[in-house]
Amino acid sequence: MKSNRKLALALLTGIAIGIAGALSIHAQQVKPAPGYIIGEVELKPGADTEALKQYGEKVPETLAPFNHQYLIRRGKTVSLEGEPPKTIIVIAFDSVEQAQAWYNSPAYNAIKPLRQNSTNSRLFIAEGMTPK
């Protein structure tokens, strides 16, 4: 009987050490910093609003293959210093590379001229803080 208890205790100890080691390794894995597309958009005088409407309808399907989340999409902007942009858009991605991949994707490149021809825009990719 004693040897069965010792065997069971050794087995449980080994399992506990294995779980603790796996959790420690998982906690130490480096997660990439998130990437953010930040856009400032203003309609050009005499802009083709129909083209811009088409752009707005097609953007979500270009984003679908990329893990993304809109953080800001239009909304109220209050200026603390300087002139505020007319419209701000912020889209979060898992990494800067994912944000860049979306921007350079064939699907987005196909509709990008609709925005560029109708707006004065500035787009940036910013690297966020690495999650702990």
Side-chain angles (χ1 to χ4, degrees):
M1 263 319 202
K2 279 188 172 185
S3 61
N4 285 344
R5 283 187 197 173
K6 287 182 181 180
L7 181 60
L9 183 59
L11 182 62
L12 289 174
T13 302
I15 290 171
I17 291 171
I19 290 171
L23 290 174
S24 175
I25 290 169
H26 181 71
Q28 292 177 13
Q29 290 177 341
V30 177
K31 296 178 182 174
Y36 299 92
I37 296 277
I38 303 169
E40 298 177 6
V41 181
E42 183 175 356
L43 281 177
K44 289 181 180 177
D48 182 353
T49 55
E50 188 58 38
L52 202 54
K53 182 180 174 185
Q54 289 175 10
Y55 171 82
E57 291 169 353
K58 293 180 180 184
V59 167
E61 66 191 53
T62 70
L63 286 163
F66 302 90
N67 189 21
H68 74 287
Q69 178 182 3
Y70 275 102
L71 300 180
I72 301 171
R73 191 174 184 185
R74 300 183 192 108
K76 182 179 179 181
T77 303
V78 176
S79 176
L80 299 176
E81 296 182 16
E83 289 294 317
K86 299 296 180 194
T87 301
I88 296 176
I89 297 166
V90 178
I91 308 170
F93 293 85
D94 290 338
S95 66
V96 167
E97 292 77 19
Q98 280 289 89
Q100 188 77 56
W102 167 74
Y103 184 80
N104 292 327
S105 69
Y108 186 65
N109 277 317
I111 65 167
K112 197 184 306 181
L114 296 173
R115 175 186 51 80
Q116 291 172 331
N117 293 332
S118 300
T119 66
N120 293 317
S121 304
R122 295 180 350 138
L123 268 65
F124 309 91
I125 296 177
E127 183 177 66
M129 301 295 289
T130 304
K132 292 183 179 185

